[in-house]
């Protein structure tokens, strides 16, 4: 049976991969989408994902060295519904990498998929961990991904209905 620390490191490894993929995609989108507002949205998301990745890396080091999560000053576990799914898991999942020219709607759709995956990983981890600091970390990250999802969905809907960014 896998130890709790091993489970946590496995989850954080997956999380780090998602955050880095998101960051790389958002940086690419920020360079390639047309319009300053779109570039700003994607650049801001890339910066957030970079911060999340750094936080995850610190937790991984703490777990490897001290066998426990490190308290993160300034974060609290938000009151979120850990059973909420952003979308029902229907249809095909998108490829792990975005290829080709970046169309705004495709970019937003791909970004929504990234955020859904991350949110699901963090809510599942928060439900499964009994460590208070770990639960707080995962709930905070899930809430951050929900904020990203909401921003992206608002802009997706705005692109479809009005042809512009919010």
């Amino acid at each position: 049976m896998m130890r709790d620390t091993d489970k946590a490191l496995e989850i954080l490894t997956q999380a780090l991969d998602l955050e880095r993929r998101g960051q790389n995609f958002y940086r690419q989108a920020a360079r390639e989408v047309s319009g300053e507002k779109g570039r700003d949205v994607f650049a801001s998301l890339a910066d957030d994902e970079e911060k999340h990745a750094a936080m995850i890396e610190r937790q991984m080091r703490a777990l490897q060295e001290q066998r426990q999560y490190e308290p993160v000053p300034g974060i609290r576990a938000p009151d979120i519904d850990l059973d909420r799914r952003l979308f029902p898991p229907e249809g095909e999942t998108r490829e792990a990498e975005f290829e080709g020219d970046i169309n705004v709607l495709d970019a937003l759709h791909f970004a929504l998929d990234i955020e859904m995956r991350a949110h699901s990983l963090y809510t599942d981890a928060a439900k499964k961990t009994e460590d208070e600091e770990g639960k707080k970390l995962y709930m905070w990250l899930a809430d951050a991904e929900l904020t990203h999802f909401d921003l992206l969905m608002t802009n997706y809907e705005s692109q479809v209905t009005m042809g512009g960014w919010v």
Side-chain angles (χ1 to χ4, degrees), residues 12-132:
L12 290 172
T13 298
Q14 291 174 29
L16 185 58
D17 182 59
L18 277 173
E19 296 293 343
R20 285 182 175 157
R21 286 174 186 246
Q23 179 186 356
N24 290 337
F25 173 72
Y26 293 142
R27 292 265 183 250
Q28 178 187 0
R31 288 189 305 270
E32 296 183 22
V33 297
S34 60
E36 185 178 346
K37 178 66 176 169
R39 289 190 297 272
D40 289 347
V41 166
F42 285 119
S44 175
L45 289 168
D47 290 343
D48 285 353
E49 301 299 341
E50 183 177 4
K51 291 172 190 165
H52 297 169
M55 182 183 291
I56 289 165
E57 287 174 326
R58 281 193 306 274
Q59 291 300 330
M60 290 175 76
R61 279 192 302 277
L63 284 164
Q64 290 165 338
E65 295 168 6
Q66 302 156 13
R67 311 299 288 169
Q68 64 183 17
Y69 289 92
E70 180 178 286
V72 180
I75 71 164
R76 62 170 187 76
D79 184 22
I80 61 172
D81 179 358
L82 294 177
D83 292 317
R84 177 181 176 200
R85 291 290 173 240
L86 299 182
F87 272 141
E90 297 175 3
E92 296 179 19
T93 57
R94 289 189 156 272
E95 292 297 315
E97 301 295 330
F98 192 88
E99 296 180 13
D101 295 332
I102 294 185
N103 162 293
V104 171
L105 291 178
D106 287 343
L108 287 166
H109 192 265
F110 189 79
L112 286 163
D113 186 63
I114 291 169
E115 299 302 331
M116 285 185 295
R117 287 173 192 247
H119 181 268
S120 179
L121 177 67
Y122 297 138
T123 56
D124 289 346
K127 286 190 286 191
K128 291 176 183 172
T129 189
E130 294 183 20
D131 183 281
E132 185 178 327

Side-chain angles (χ1 to χ4, degrees), residues 78-80 119 122-123 138-148:
D79 184 22
I80 61 172
H119 181 268
Y122 297 138
T123 56
Y138 296 130
M139 290 178 73
W140 185 86
L141 286 166
D143 188 57
E145 303 304 347
L146 176 60
T147 300
H148 291 173

